C-alpha cells in the first residue's frame, strides 16, 4: 500500500495560568491510502487536538506532518491552500458546525466558491445537488436552513461539505457521537459506502470502541496525550497488549445479563492532569502491573510482532 499521511513526533502544548497543558506528546504514526485508522481514548486524551494538528488547523509545538510526501510545515499561502483541498474534516457537533444563517446549498457551495471550482454558479449548484444526492439529501432541501433538519440530516450536510473538494483524506472527529444509535448506523454505513465509491482514507476519531471496530482497519489508542498501542483492529480487540487498552475494552457495555461487574477489570486511582502529567509512563499511577521503572522511564512505542506496536515496559501476552 502507498502511504498518504505521516506524522512524526507531534507535540502540542497550550499555555495556561500556572502551567502548560500537554495535549499531545511525541505522537508518530502513518496512514495508508484507502484505509481507515481508528483513534480511541478517554475524553480529554488529545484525540481531537491530534486531528487538528494533522490538518494544520492549529500549529504544532514541535513535530511534522507529511501529506502525499509534502511537509506541511514548509508550505505557506497558496501552496498550503491547494494541498488542503485533499484534506477535509467532519466535525463532531452537527449543530454547531453549520452556520445557521446559511442555507444547505450555500454551506456545501462555500468550499467550491473558495477554491473557484466550477465555471459559474449554475455549474456549482449542479455539483452541490449531486453531492446532496450522494449523502441522501433530497434536492428540494437546497434552500432550507440547518434548524429545519434533524441531527442525522445535519451531519449528512457536513459530510457533503467535506466531500465538495473531492479530498483523499477525511478526518472524522467523532462524527456520530451526538446522534441516536439508529442514526449512527446510517451515518457509519454512508461513510463506508463513500469510502468504497471515492477511494477515501479516514482518520476516524471516537471514544466508542464498538463504532471504531466496525469501521477501522487499524486502531491507535491514546492516553493523556501519548500513544499506547497501534494494531490491526481484530488483533487489538482479541488480545490487547497494553493494560490501558484492556481496561478500555472492559468498559464497553456487554448485552449479557449473566456477566457480573466482578468479572470486569475496573480502573482504580485518580485521573492524572494533563497540566502536570506523571513522569515515566503516564498510565503507571493507575496500572496494576506498574513498577519503579514505569514511574521513572518513559516506554517507547516498539513493534512486538508484525504490525503490532505497544508502548509498555510490561506488555500483556498476546
Amino acid at each position: 500500500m502507498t502511504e498518504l499521511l505521516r506524522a512524526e513526533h507531534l507535540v502540542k502544548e497550550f499555555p495556561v495560568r500556572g502551567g502548560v497543558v500537554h495535549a499531545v506528546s511525541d505522537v508518530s504514526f502513518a496512514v495508508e491510502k484507502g484505509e481507515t485508522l481508528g483513534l480511541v481514548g478517554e475524553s480529554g486524551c488529545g484525540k481531537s487536538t491530534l486531528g487538528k494538528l494533522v490538518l494544520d488547523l492549529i500549529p504544532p509545538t514541535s513535530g511534522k506532518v507529511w501529506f502525499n510526501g509534502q511537509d506541511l510545515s514548509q508550505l505557506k499561502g497558496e501552496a498550503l491552500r491547494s494541498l488542503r483541498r485533499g484534506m477535509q474534516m467532519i466535525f463532531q457537533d452537527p449543530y454547531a458546525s453549520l452556520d445557521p444563517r446559511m442555507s444547505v446549498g450555500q454551506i456545501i457551495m462555500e468550499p467550491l466558491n473558495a477554491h473557484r471550482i466550477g465555471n459559474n454558479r449554475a455549474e456549482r449548484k449542479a455539483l452541490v445537488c449531486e453531492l446532496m444526492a450522494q449523502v441522501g439529501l433530497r434536492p428540494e432541501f437546497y434552500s432550507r436552513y440547518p434548524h429545519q433538519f434533524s441531527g442525522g440530516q445535519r451531519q449528512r450536510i457536513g459530510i457533503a461539505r467535506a466531500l465538495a473538494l473531492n479530498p483523499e483524506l477525511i478526518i472524522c472527529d467523532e462524527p456520530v457521537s451526538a446522534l441516536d444509535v439508529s442514526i449512527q448506523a446510517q451515518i457509519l454505513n454512508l461513510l463506508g459506502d463513500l469510502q468504497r465509491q471515492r477511494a477515501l482514507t479516514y482518520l476516524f476519531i471516537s471514544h466508542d470502541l464498538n463504532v471504531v471496530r466496525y469501521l477501522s482497519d487499524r486502531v491507535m489508542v491514546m492516553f493523556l496525550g501519548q500513544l499506547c498501542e497501534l494494531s490491526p483492529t481484530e488483533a487489538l480487540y482479541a488480545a490487547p497488549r497494553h493494560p490501558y487498552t484492556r481496561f478500555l475494552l472492559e468498559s464497553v457495555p456487554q448485552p449479557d445479563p449473566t456477566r457480573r461487574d466482578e468479572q470486569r477489570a475496573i480502573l482504580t486511582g485518580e485521573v492524572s492532569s494533563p497540566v502536570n502529567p506523571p513522569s515515566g509512563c503516564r498510565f503507571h499511577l493507575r496500572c496494576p502491573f506498574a513498577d519503579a521503572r514505569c514511574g521513572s522511564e518513559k516506554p517507547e512505542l516498539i513493534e512486538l510482532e508484525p504490525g503490532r506496536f505497544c508502548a509498555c515496559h510490561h506488555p500483556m501476552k498476546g
Side-chain angles (χ1 to χ4, degrees):
M1 297 180 70
T2 304
E3 184 178 283
L4 179 65
L5 175 74
R6 172 170 291 275
E8 289 191 358
H9 305 295
L10 281 181
V11 174
K12 184 59 183 178
E13 298 174 346
F14 295 99
V16 296
R17 183 178 297 178
V20 172
V21 174
H22 301 270
V24 175
S25 301
D26 195 22
V27 171
S28 301
F29 64 94
V31 186
E32 305 291 338
K33 286 187 177 181
E35 82 164 328
T36 298
L37 178 62
L39 175 57
V40 301
E42 296 174 85
S43 295
C45 73
K47 303 187 300 296
S48 294
T49 301
L50 182 60
K52 292 174 183 176
L53 289 172
V54 166
L55 292 182
D56 201 34
L57 295 180
I58 55 175
T61 303
S62 62
K64 291 186 176 183
V65 175
W66 285 264
F67 178 70
N68 263 332
Q70 294 186 277
D71 182 355
L72 297 189
S73 67
Q74 301 300 312
L75 300 177
K76 304 294 180 185
E78 188 58 36
L80 180 59
R81 173 188 170 91
S82 177
L83 188 69
R84 274 187 170 154
R85 288 180 56 173
M87 313 163 68
Q88 295 297 309
M89 193 167 196
I90 301 170
F91 296 93
Q92 177 178 356
D93 190 345
Y95 297 89
S97 63
L98 303 179
D99 190 333
R101 298 168 297 179
M102 298 174 68
S103 69
V104 171
Q106 291 172 325
I107 289 170
I108 301 174
M109 191 181 292
E110 187 175 26
L112 301 177
N113 291 333
H115 289 267
R116 300 181 181 88
I117 296 175
N119 296 318
N120 50 56
R121 183 175 178 82
E123 192 170 311
R124 289 170 185 161
K125 183 175 180 179
L127 289 172
V128 170
C129 291
E130 182 180 333
L131 287 166
M132 291 174 64
Q134 287 187 16
V135 300
L137 294 172
R138 299 205 299 261
E140 56 263 35
F141 292 167
Y142 183 90
S143 299
R144 295 188 184 181
Y145 288 82
H147 73 271
Q148 297 175 283
F149 295 92
S150 66
Q153 288 174 319
R154 292 186 193 200
Q155 198 58 291
R156 290 173 187 270
I157 298 169
I159 292 171
R161 177 177 58 186
L163 294 174
L165 298 177
N166 197 26
E168 292 183 79
L169 172 71
I170 296 182
I171 309 296
C172 304
D173 186 10
E174 304 210 33
V176 298
S177 64
L179 307 177
D180 293 338
V181 174
S182 60
I183 306 303
Q184 286 185 10
Q186 294 177 20
I187 297 300
L188 290 173
N189 288 333
L190 172 63
L191 290 172
D193 292 341
L194 291 170
Q195 183 175 40
R196 288 185 290 272
Q197 294 165 8
R198 291 172 164 260
L200 294 170
T201 302
Y202 292 145
L203 175 59
F204 192 91
I205 301 169
S206 180
H207 62 267
D208 189 326
L209 289 148
N210 284 329
V211 167
V212 170
R213 184 175 192 175
Y214 176 76
L215 204 63
S216 302
D217 300 299
R218 294 185 300 146
V219 178
M220 292 194 301
V221 182
M222 282 186 73
F223 178 79
L224 209 62
Q226 291 184 342
L227 197 57
C228 298
E229 188 165 357
L230 171 60
S231 170
T233 302
E234 290 308 315
L236 181 136
Y237 280 77
R241 303 302 300 274
H242 197 285
Y244 176 64
T245 308
R246 174 197 170 199
F247 283 109
L248 273 185
L249 294 176
E250 285 285 340
S251 71
V252 177
Q254 301 292 334
D256 183 1
T258 65
R259 190 182 189 209
R260 302 177 61 85
D261 287 341
E262 291 82 358
Q263 297 174 285
R264 301 171 64 181
I266 299 175
L267 276 178
T268 60
E270 296 295 324
V271 178
S272 301
S273 168
V275 177
N276 187 28
S279 60
C281 174
R282 291 189 176 177
F283 185 61
H284 83 271
L285 295 178
R286 308 186 74 190
C287 180
F289 310 111
D291 57 16
R293 182 187 179 194
C294 300
S296 60
E297 182 183 337
K298 176 189 170 185
E300 298 299 324
L301 190 72
I302 60 174
E303 190 170 18
L304 302 178
E305 55 191 82
R308 299 207 65 180
F309 298 83
C310 182
C312 182
H313 295 307
H314 310 290
M316 301 172 66
K317 293 182 179 180

